[in-house]
């Protein structure tokens, strides 16, 4: 009933307890209150996808959620992908295929695709492009990003078949 | 930009929501937030009170019976999209949802939020017109059910009163094996539709059209049905002549015009997409009936 709230949010496995303004968006909470600046703010109205994070496993736009709505929830941001200095396979594929130039859209791309590949492990190029429709990139023309996604999917398939 | 300050309410039940709405003024209801949050970030909307429905679990459900399918207002679009039951009983829902925004927005977006925002190009508003939806509005001490035609008042405007909220949406259920199609034109995947046409059809054993529904959205301020054309199609044999007659009827509807798209272009799209939608629905009705 007030304009501030105490919340507890688990981000990348660590639980943070903070008092926030109820109007605080989730992306500002992550960046400003927690210092997790890997998640980027692009348009702040749900059009660009740069702020995509995973809440309870689902890829969502963190500029369109309030921090108070994340109370008690588990979130993964781009900082949660790598193991120490070792990139995860998706990040590695972006690196190898030049899937980023300026890098601004990359955190949102990675979080969207990480969810997508769990649901559709062997996507077609068309499915990849549709999954990426909510993430805007102004540098790459998308081709290198699509290549990276298809490469990591092919690798995962090959590893599965080898087992 | 960021939202201006508001008092945040997070009711956990329908009764609690109704009680809050009966007491507060200058209030907005937050469903999935995929339209309201941008409007608040831009400060187009600056409510003093925000009532967040995301904790009201009794508002998220899908229930099917013989005559209809009922959805709780807070049922997520992704839940509907993934539902194996709906894929069987009402396959146009997952088909139409593939045009709604992007996977990240459908993860949060709800059927009730979309209907209450009432964007003229919204796919779920189109489907509500198509299925002769009944909308149950709750308030403290009672509720009322409105047919879709009375729910939608005008551009972005519904009949929901300030102390009311949408509790449930009921769609007419079509027989198993009915034909369906959803044809949309937008500039890019996930963009607002410039025109969308949906069609449901059942065929008699003779092959003639038994029942048919066609809904048009993105063209007028509210989605609507091609009622007269539907009536004239019942009992007719499907084929090029019938599709063309329905397409011609669709091209004569009153259309909106804006700085990007002329009324004439919308009417042109309505004609083309109606032809395609009816043809496709008839063809898959035949296949599904044969299967």
């Amino acid at each position: 009933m007030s304009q501030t709230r105490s919340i507890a949010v688990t981000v990348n496995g660590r639980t943070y307890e903070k008092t926030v303004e109820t109007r605080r968006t989730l992306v500002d909470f992550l960046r400003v209150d927690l210092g997790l600046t890997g998640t980027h703010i692009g348009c702040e109205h749900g059009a660009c996808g740069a702020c995509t994070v995973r809440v309870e496993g689902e890829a969502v736009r963190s500029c369109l959620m309030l921090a108070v709505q994340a109370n008690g929830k588990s979130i993964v941001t781009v900082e949660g992908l790598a193991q120490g200095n070792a990139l995860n396979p998706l990040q590695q594929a972006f690196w190898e295929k030049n899937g980023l130039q300026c890098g601004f859209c990359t955190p949102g791309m990675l979080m969207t695709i990480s969810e997508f590949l769990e649901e559709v492990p062997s996507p077609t190029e068309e499915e990849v492009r549709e999954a990426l429709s909510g993430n805007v990139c102004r540098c790459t023309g998308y081709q290198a990003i699509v290549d990276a996604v298809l490469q990591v999917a092919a690798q995962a398939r090959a590893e599965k078949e080898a087992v | 930009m960021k939202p201006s300050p508001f008092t945040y309410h997070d009711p956990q039940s329908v009764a609690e929501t109704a009680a809050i709405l009966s007491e507060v003024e200058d209030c907005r209801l937050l469903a999935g937030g995929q339209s309201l949050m941008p409007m608040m970030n831009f400060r187009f909307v600056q409510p003093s009170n925000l009532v967040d429905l995301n904790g009201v679990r009794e508002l998220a459900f899908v229930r099917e019976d013989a005559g209809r399918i009922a959805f709780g207002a807070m049922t997520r679009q992704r839940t509907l999209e993934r539902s194996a039951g709906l894929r069987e009983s009402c396959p146009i829902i997952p088909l139409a949802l593939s045009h709604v925004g992007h996977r990240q927005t459908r993860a949060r977006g709800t059927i009730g939020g979309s209907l209450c925002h009432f964007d003229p190009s919204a796919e779920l508003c189109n489907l509500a017109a198509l299925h002769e939806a009944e909308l149950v509005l709750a308030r403290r001490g009672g509720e009322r059910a409105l047919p879709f035609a009375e729910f939608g008042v005008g551009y972005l405007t519904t009949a929901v009163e300030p102390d009311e909220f949408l509790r449930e949406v009921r769609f007419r259920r079509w027989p198993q094996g009915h034909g369906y199609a959803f044809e949309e034109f937008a500039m890019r995947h996930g963009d607002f539709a410039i025109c969308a046409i949906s069609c449901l059809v059942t065929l008699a054993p003779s092959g003639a059209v038994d029942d048919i529904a066609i809904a048009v959205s993105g063209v007028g301020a509210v989605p609507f049905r091609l009622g007269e054309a539907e009536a004239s199609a019942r009992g007719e044999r499907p084929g090029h002549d019938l599709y063309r007659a329905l397409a011609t009827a669709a091209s004569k509807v009153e259309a909106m015009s804006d700085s990007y798209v002329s009324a004439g272009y919308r009417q042109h799209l309505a004609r083309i997409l109606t032809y395609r939608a009816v043809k496709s629905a008839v063809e898959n009705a035949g296949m599904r009936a044969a299967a």
Side-chain angles (χ1 to χ4, degrees):
Chain A
M1 271 292 285
S2 68
Q3 297 190 351
T4 60
R5 279 276 175 112
S6 294
I7 59 172
V9 184
T10 302
V11 184
N12 303 327
R14 179 176 159 193
T15 301
Y16 299 83
E17 289 180 27
K18 296 272 179 188
T19 299
V20 297
E21 272 195 279
T22 53
R23 63 169 171 154
R24 185 66 122 190
T25 58
L26 177 58
V27 68
D28 280 339
F29 174 73
L30 294 169
R31 290 176 56 86
V32 180
D33 297 325
L34 305 188
L36 296 171
T37 52
T39 304
H40 289 169
I41 301 182
C43 67
E44 283 193 318
H45 65 280
C48 78
C51 68
T52 304
V53 299
R54 294 181 65 177
V55 177
E56 298 291 316
E58 291 214 275
V60 302
R61 302 205 183 301
S62 60
C63 73
L64 300 186
M65 260 184 87
L66 298 168
V68 286
Q69 295 184 296
N71 187 24
K73 298 215 162 26
S74 178
I75 294 174
V76 179
T77 67
V78 69
E79 288 94 340
L81 293 181
Q83 299 274 333
N85 286 327
L87 298 179
N88 88 349
L90 184 58
Q91 292 171 307
Q92 187 66 34
F94 265 61
W95 170 268
E96 288 169 9
K97 290 286 179 184
N98 295 316
L100 61 156
Q101 287 179 31
C102 85
F104 198 86
C105 71
T106 312
M109 290 281 179
L110 293 171
M111 300 320 290
T112 299
I113 297 158
S114 70
E115 184 212 37
F116 169 68
L117 287 177
E118 284 170 21
E119 192 179 310
V120 188
S122 293
T124 63
E125 180 178 336
E126 197 185 340
E127 285 171 326
V128 173
R129 287 185 184 276
E130 186 175 329
L132 290 175
S133 68
N135 292 79
V136 173
C137 173
R138 297 290 79 160
C139 303
T140 63
Y142 301 97
Q143 188 57 49
I145 294 171
V146 173
D147 290 346
V149 179
L150 291 172
Q151 174 178 294
V152 76
Q155 276 168 358
R157 258 198 317 276
E159 277 167 30
K160 207 171 161 192
E161 279 161 17
V163 172
Chain B
M1 279 173 63
K2 323 288 178 189
S4 57
F6 50 77
T7 300
Y8 178 74
H9 308 262
D10 55 342
Q12 304 295 306
S13 69
V14 163
E16 210 183 322
T17 306
I20 293 168
L21 289 180
S22 73
E23 283 160 16
V24 300
E25 286 186 359
D26 184 23
C27 172
R28 281 287 184 140
L29 287 159
L30 180 64
Q34 304 303 295
S35 299
L36 181 58
M37 282 296 296
M39 283 156 55
M40 286 173 51
N41 285 354
F42 279 137
R43 303 205 179 184
F44 289 148
V45 180
Q46 301 183 35
S48 311
N49 291 281
L50 189 71
V51 178
D52 182 355
L53 297 174
N54 286 275
V56 187
R57 294 198 176 174
E58 61 188 298
L59 287 176
F61 61 83
V62 179
R63 277 198 288 265
E64 300 194 43
D65 62 34
R68 63 191 182 190
I69 310 174
F71 306 96
M74 285 298 291
T75 310
R76 308 270 177 208
Q77 293 161 6
R78 287 283 275 159
T79 305
L80 301 176
E81 191 179 346
R82 289 179 180 137
S83 161
L86 290 177
R87 216 163 274 278
E88 279 297 307
S89 61
C90 196
I92 197 170
I93 290 179
L95 176 64
L97 281 169
S98 71
H99 295 277
V100 179
H102 313 283
R103 57 194 295 117
Q104 304 99 324
T105 64
R106 297 194 295 270
R108 297 288 302 166
T110 63
I111 183 170
S114 180
L115 288 167
C116 290
H117 184 55
F118 209 59
D119 189 287
S121 63
E123 290 80 1
L124 286 165
C125 296
N126 177 305
L127 292 189
L130 187 72
H131 291 84
E132 289 135 47
E134 186 178 56
L135 298 108
V136 182
L137 306 181
R139 59 154 49 108
R140 193 161 83 168
E143 61 179 42
R144 59 181 175 142
L146 286 182
F148 180 76
E150 289 173 32
F151 173 79
V153 173
Y155 182 77
L156 294 178
T157 308
T158 68
V160 183
E161 297 286 339
D163 66 337
E164 284 183 316
F165 61 102
L166 180 63
R167 188 171 66 72
E168 181 175 324
V169 189
R170 297 167 183 155
F171 278 16
R172 174 188 161 193
R173 186 174 171 165
W174 281 60
Q176 203 74 18
H178 64 270
Y180 65 97
F182 194 93
E183 294 286 339
E184 172 168 320
F185 184 79
M187 290 303 284
R188 287 159 301 208
H189 184 89
D191 274 15
F192 291 103
I194 293 172
C195 175
I197 306 285
S198 58
C199 178
L200 298 175
V201 67
T202 53
L203 302 178
S206 67
V209 172
D210 179 34
D211 198 1
I212 186 166
I214 304 168
V216 181
S217 55
V219 173
V222 302
F224 55 87
R225 291 274 291 273
L226 296 179
E228 280 179 34
E230 290 169 10
S232 68
R234 293 191 185 103
E236 296 293 321
R237 279 206 81 76
H240 173 70
D241 291 345
L242 179 66
Y243 309 149
R244 197 170 57 182
L246 291 168
T248 303
S251 73
K252 291 180 178 157
V253 300
E254 208 172 307
M256 297 183 291
S257 169
D258 57 45
S259 48
Y260 298 105
V261 185
S262 67
Y265 186 54
R266 285 198 162 87
Q267 289 165 329
H268 167 78
L269 286 173
R271 180 168 66 81
I272 305 286
L273 298 179
T274 298
Y275 189 102
R276 288 183 195 165
V278 178
K279 181 169 189 282
S280 164
V282 165
E283 286 170 0
N284 73 41
M287 279 193 298
R288 280 151 60 84

